Amino acid sequence: MLVLGVESSCDETSVSVVRDGKEVLSNVINSQIKIHEKFGGVVPEVASRHHVYQITLVFMEAIKEANVKPEDIDLVAVTMGPGLIGSLLVGVNAAKTFAMMYNKKLIAVHHLAGHIYANAIEHEMKFPLVALLVSGGNTELIYMKDHFDFEIVGETLDDAVGEAYDKVARVVGLPYPGGPHVDRLAHLGHDTYHLPRVYLDDGSYNFSFSGLKSAVINLNHNANQRGEKIDVNNLCASFQDSVTEVLVRKTLKLAKERGVNNIIVAGGVSANRGLKERFMAEGEGFNIAIPSIKYCTDNAAMIAVAGYYQHKVFPNEYADLSLNAIASLELEDRYIK
Ligand code: KG4
């Protein structure tokens, strides 16, 4: 089965062709990072315009690279949300147009399901599992009994992890997106600032990162006022240690509580080396899967793979040409069994 995936929820225009939910024949990604870098973050209006410029070219390139004909595609899977509404609309309308032109079935995929199913490309997803989903817009702990059976057990009460990374990077003068830069510098420093670890004392699996972010901002501000120099490498290492400790320990605690051996990590922040290293160091005895970097951040292969499994679980749930993008969409609400 050939699935064509389309992703445009933020600042990556991506189209991919995947065979049988596994074999990635093409995964073309046009990233707008360079465009948004000068603004220090994604400007939604600029992002949607660039999706419009790129989407047709990316479709053509993905089909050419996969060495297939549009007629060969069996199913079109598109990200319907959550994300930036103007960006999402470009992908949704392009997917609808392609499906209409070639008379193909269309299905609407939740962006976070895509991140989770990025793991199915290189690993076998074994259930039950606990998924830690960490990206620029989301931080969630999810329990899955089976394919497309999502129970959100914990989520961030304020900032998403990637958002906290990007803000901390900006404070210490690193470019956007800051996560990879903080990660790199963290490996050159040590945890000397001992920033707070926020576990929340309500016994929940929720997260909070705004206090940690404020601690970094205040530390930087106070040092500037006193004319002292901050050691950026050590600050990055301290921030990363604090974030990864909470993420890893809460994930392992949930897995133990539910008697689950399989853990998957998903989303842009799953590219973080510190997170990987801590999972390897503390997660002995668990089967931990993290996608390779090209499948961690936004890409259409993950949408095609999620579409493939979604189609198996909900075989007759096709979208029609009235499909609309939704900016705010809960994973559990999208897939009610
Ligand atoms: O999943 P993604 O591409 O987009 C969303 O759907 O949000 O994630 C982007 C986020 C950004 O905040 C970026 O700084 C972060 O992932 N990120 C990282 C790393 N690589 C990307 N954060 C920490 N360490 C990294 N190595």
Side-chain angles (χ1 to χ4, degrees):
M1 183 180 203
L2 281 183
V3 183
L4 178 117
V6 183
E7 158 64 35
S8 71
S9 64
C10 190
D11 58 344
E12 264 94 26
T13 319
S14 182
V15 178
S16 165
V17 179
V18 178
R19 194 192 304 279
D20 297 332
K22 194 106 204 136
E23 194 189 342
V24 180
L25 303 183
S26 66
N27 187 26
V28 178
I29 305 169
N30 183 281
S31 172
Q32 304 175 8
I33 284 181
K34 284 271 160 278
I35 294 158
H36 299 288
E37 206 174 20
K38 54 179 173 287
F39 302 108
V42 177
V43 183
E45 199 39 52
V46 175
S48 33
R49 276 171 204 273
H50 280 274
H51 284 302
V52 173
Y53 299 148
Q54 293 301 329
I55 191 83
T56 312
L57 299 171
V58 174
F59 255 83
M60 285 161 64
E61 205 179 322
I63 288 170
K64 187 169 171 222
E65 202 181 301
N67 202 15
V68 296
K69 294 195 286 299
E71 294 77 12
D72 301 334
I73 302 293
D74 296 298
L75 185 68
V76 180
V78 62
T79 305
M80 70 174 299
L84 301 173
I85 193 68
S87 294
L88 286 164
L89 278 169
V90 179
V92 165
N93 282 310
K96 285 200 289 193
T97 308
F98 182 90
M100 186 180 72
M101 272 174 69
Y102 294 101
N103 199 20
K104 301 294 173 190
K105 298 279 190 212
L106 176 68
I107 56 171
V109 174
H110 193 287
H111 181 70
L112 300 188
H115 275 305
I116 290 171
Y117 277 85
N119 276 281
I121 300 172
E122 297 156 309
H123 309 102
E124 194 195 334
M125 280 173 72
K126 292 194 188 120
F127 299 96
L129 62 78
V130 165
L132 172 68
L133 207 154
V134 274
S135 73
N138 296 275
T139 303
E140 312 208 4
L141 258 179
I142 301 163
Y143 172 74
M144 289 178 75
K145 264 204 302 276
D146 205 343
H147 279 297
F148 276 84
D149 188 333
F150 306 106
E151 178 191 339
I152 313 288
V153 184
E155 60 193 345
T156 182
L157 301 177
D158 38 59
D159 290 1
V161 187
E163 194 182 351
Y165 263 97
D166 294 341
K167 283 185 188 158
V168 163
R170 193 172 345 170
V171 167
V172 297
L174 297 169
Y176 173 85
H181 298 284
V182 173
D183 190 13
R184 181 173 46 80
L185 297 187
H187 281 82
L188 304 173
H190 301 283
D191 180 358
T192 55
Y193 289 102
H194 308 302
L195 297 167
R197 269 84 170 136
V198 182
Y199 281 98
L200 303 174
D201 53 14
D202 58 358
S204 75
Y205 283 100
N206 290 330
F207 300 99
S208 169
F209 295 104
S210 67
L212 174 62
K213 178 194 70 188
S214 301
V216 174
I217 294 171
N218 291 340
L219 206 137
N220 198 54
H221 182 71
N222 292 340
N224 283 345
Q225 282 199 326
R226 281 193 240 106
E228 291 168 10
K229 219 176 148 23
I230 285 280
D231 185 316
V232 175
N233 295 352
N234 286 348
L235 186 57
C236 289
S238 304
F239 172 76
Q240 181 140 302
D241 260 26
S242 176
V243 168
T244 58
E245 183 189 299
V246 175
L247 289 176
V248 169
R249 295 199 179 159
K250 281 208 160 185
T251 307
L252 295 176
K253 184 169 174 251
L254 176 63
K256 282 178 197 152
E257 188 186 282
R258 299 279 177 118
V260 167
N261 195 42
N262 302 306
I263 294 174
I264 62 173
V265 190
V269 184
S270 60
N272 186 271
R273 268 169 58 206
L275 187 62
K276 255 179 236 174
E277 287 158 6
R278 193 180 280 274
F279 263 117
M280 293 312 139
E282 299 190 12
E284 210 189 311
F286 287 95
N287 175 23
I288 300 168
I290 303 178
S292 45
I293 289 185
K294 62 183 175 196
Y295 298 127
C296 286
T297 45
D298 289 351
N299 68 89
M302 68 184 198
I303 301 301
V305 175
Y308 173 83
Y309 286 98
Q310 182 177 321
H311 181 252
K312 282 186 158 191
V313 177
F314 304 99
N316 295 313
E317 283 196 16
Y318 296 113
D320 60 26
L321 296 182
S322 68
L323 174 67
N324 208 351
I326 301 182
S328 243
L329 182 64
E330 294 295 329
L331 197 52
E332 282 167 318
D333 295 342
R334 170 69 187 89
Y335 301 108
I336 301 164
K337 279 199 176 169

